[in-house]
Amino acid sequence: MRFYVSADIEGIAGVVSREQTRPGGFEYEAARTWMTQSVVALCEAAHAEGASEIVVSDSHGNGLNIHPEMLPDHVRLVRSWPRPLGMMQGIEAGRFDGAFLLGYHAGSSNAEGVLAHTMSSDLIHEIRLGGKVASEAVISAAIAGHYGVPVLMVAGDDVAVRETRALLGPIASATLKQAYGSYSAISPTPAVALGLLRTAVTQAVALVGTLEPYRLPGPIDLEITLRTRFVAEWLSYLPGVERLDAYSVRYPVKDVEALSKFLMFMTTARLALA
């Protein structure tokens, strides 16, 4: 069996502040170690259940958070940006039996959840696909579904787990902390959290062959509400982008792959100016 893992940091046990998620910030080095340990625990558990290869996407921040030297030999790692499929790059490389969403968080317009945002806390207030609010988990599941891969498991805070399972149904899950507020939670120790992950992986592998991929057929009506008026204006200069109001734009895309490329353009354009 082959599995795919998209790993973020905000939903990892013990991570509650923005400083922990950014290089140079307080406890960032500890947080990236917790993230890496979580990836290793997931991959080792999947390997014990029969996985021959696992592709992992480092899907947070600069895409350079996971310590490669700590990963098992049966793992390949996707790093850095830009990349057309964003948080799900690598899902296109061969046939996968399922995908795991690790360290995920709630969407930006959810009133609850730790470090909740969608794609970019600096740029985006809300993303809607076909008029429905879409979190990062929704977008990731849709990209996986585009390539015929079902999501088997989600792991993150309790709000992210509820939000994701409400869309995808009874997939396996690991609740790695309970949210108190935007920057507070109660969390088990890293060792206990890793045990929760291993148990959820075993449950997830048992679901192989029983779940359908989450498909979002095109064309897709993409609407984005931005944090600033300027970005809405800037995007409206592109052909096909309609400005709906001071902060919102609409852009019809032909399929999920085109959706991902547009979002990657938005969130990584600053790299071209660096």
Side-chain angles (χ1 to χ4, degrees):
M1 292 182 291
R2 295 178 76 237
F3 292 115
Y4 181 88
V5 179
S6 177
D8 208 344
I9 203 170
E10 286 89 354
I12 296 296
V15 177
V16 291
S17 76
R18 286 191 176 186
E19 286 191 352
Q20 290 175 296
T21 70
R22 297 173 176 176
F26 176 73
E27 282 195 342
Y28 168 71
E29 290 301 325
R32 69 185 293 227
T33 296
W34 301 336
M35 179 185 181
T36 305
Q37 290 171 339
S38 299
V39 170
V40 171
L42 190 162
C43 292
E44 288 180 341
H47 188 61
E49 295 294 326
S52 58
E53 182 185 40
I54 299 173
V55 174
V56 175
S57 167
D58 189 329
S59 297
H60 171 71
N62 60 10
L64 300 169
N65 308 278
I66 295 170
H67 293 284
E69 71 279 6
M70 294 174 61
L71 299 179
D73 290 343
H74 60 278
V75 174
R76 291 195 292 159
L77 179 63
V78 179
R79 308 182 83 204
S80 195
W81 315 95
R83 53 204 201 208
L85 297 180
M87 298 178 73
M88 299 299 287
Q89 193 68 51
I91 195 77
E92 79 288 354
R95 180 186 175 278
F96 289 95
D97 294 280
F100 297 77
L101 307 182
L102 172 63
Y104 270 56
H105 49 81
S108 59
S109 57
N110 193 321
E112 301 177 298
V114 181
L115 295 165
H117 66 280
T118 305
M119 304 302 293
S120 170
S121 57
D122 297 327
L123 285 177
I124 297 171
H125 170 65
E126 186 176 80
I127 292 176
R128 294 175 298 280
L129 303 177
K132 297 180 180 179
V133 175
S135 65
E136 289 178 16
V138 172
I139 296 168
S140 292
I143 294 173
H146 182 74
Y147 290 94
V149 182
V151 172
L152 302 176
M153 189 195 84
V154 60
D157 70 60
D158 58 322
V159 179
V161 168
R162 286 199 308 270
E163 184 180 73
T164 304
R165 295 187 87 210
L167 173 80
L168 300 181
I171 61 174
S173 64
T175 299
L176 303 181
K177 57 195 169 193
Q178 282 81 36
Y180 284 150
S182 298
Y183 304 110
S184 61
I186 185 168
S187 178
T189 64
V192 170
L194 298 183
L196 294 173
L197 272 175
R198 294 187 186 100
T199 298
V201 170
T202 299
Q203 296 168 348
V205 174
L207 295 173
V208 170
T210 69
L211 300 178
E212 292 296 323
Y214 175 71
R215 299 186 187 276
L216 196 61
I220 302 166
D221 195 46
L222 167 64
E223 293 183 15
I224 307 173
T225 300
L226 289 310
R227 296 286 186 187
T228 69
R229 298 166 60 98
F230 169 77
V231 178
E233 179 182 344
W234 171 65
L235 289 172
S236 72
Y237 297 161
L238 295 173
V241 176
E242 174 189 2
R243 191 173 186 183
L244 299 177
D245 56 39
Y247 293 92
S248 302
V249 297
R250 174 180 178 270
Y251 183 58
V253 293
K254 67 176 183 177
D255 56 24
V256 169
E257 185 177 345
L259 164 71
S260 178
K261 287 181 178 179
F262 185 80
L263 293 175
M264 282 298 97
F265 165 77
M266 277 186 56
T267 56
T268 63
R270 65 186 185 279
L271 297 177
L273 304 176

